[in-house]
Amino acid sequence: MAASRESSGEDPLRNFVRVLEKRDGTVLRLQQYGSGGVGCVVWDAAIVLSKYLETPGFSGDGAHALSRRSVLELGSGTGAVGLMAATLGADVIVTDLEELQDLLKMNINMNKHLVTGSVQAKVLKWGEELEDFPSSPDYILMADCIYYEESLEPLLKTLKDLSGSETCIICCYEQRTMGKNPEIEKKYFELLQLDFDFEKIPLEKHDEEYRSEDIHILYIRKKKSKFPS
Ligand SMILES: C[S@@+](CC[C@H](N)C(=O)[O-])C[C@H]1O[C@@H](n2cnc3c(N)ncnc32)[C@H](O)[C@@H]1O
């Protein structure tokens, strides 16, 4: 997959900008940090999901499928996916841990001229009680959030708390074969299927250029409750 970097500081290894070209020729610019947590760089799953949102198959005919839709992104990191959604007309909340908020706000600011919906950054730590978040957003987006065993249950609790029967969760993840990754992925699916149904989007429906055999996109929906509330 093509990666484009642009030096943005005195030390090009510490700070660099990832450039993500849109189908309409405009360009999202994402500040990254060469040091810090895993959220400080744009991961390939974020690129694959961002570009998928632009595909004709997803966007639909006429107004874009995300236009005026409420979107919440979990584990946003640099905010690439949420920002792409906001440029496609969605009203987006990008979320991550406290330490990522400055980077998220910087990237919102750097790309605000492209936003046709709206976008704001908020702290959301998986598993914690949620305040001030709209329940049942139209979409929940997440890229490369399945990588750490201890965070699987908190992540799934947050998905359960936030999603409603109409919420479409779109999860993009990279299948990794090293170390504990296969085990973590297996556990994620075991836990996921307790409360959610899911389907995989075939590779041929991903963006023609930004796709990879080991990066998967899933649509996930909360299982219908058996009993009326
Ligand atoms: C591998 S990065 C992916 C970042 C971004 N989605 C991307 O694909 O470029 C995982 C992200 O999840 C966030 N994260 C990890 N544990 C979290 C938690 N318990 N609550 C909220 N966010 C968390 C990290 O801060 C990081 O930004």
Side-chain angles (χ1 to χ4, degrees), residues 106-160:
M106 190 187 307
N107 283 330
I108 289 174
N109 203 35
M110 266 167 64
N111 294 285
K112 60 178 190 257
H113 58 291
L114 300 177
V115 170
T116 54
S118 63
V119 58
Q120 58 178 309
K122 282 191 174 185
V123 175
L124 191 160
K125 186 169 180 190
W126 307 333
E128 295 202 340
E129 289 313 310
L130 301 164
E131 282 168 22
D132 290 342
F133 283 100
S135 61
S136 310
D138 295 314
Y139 291 91
I140 297 175
L141 305 177
M142 48 192 227
D144 214 345
C145 288
I146 313 162
Y147 64 96
Y148 183 47
E149 193 170 6
E150 282 69 19
S151 62
L152 294 181
E153 288 187 22
L155 175 63
L156 286 159
K157 174 182 175 356
T158 294
L159 284 180
K160 245 167 83 177

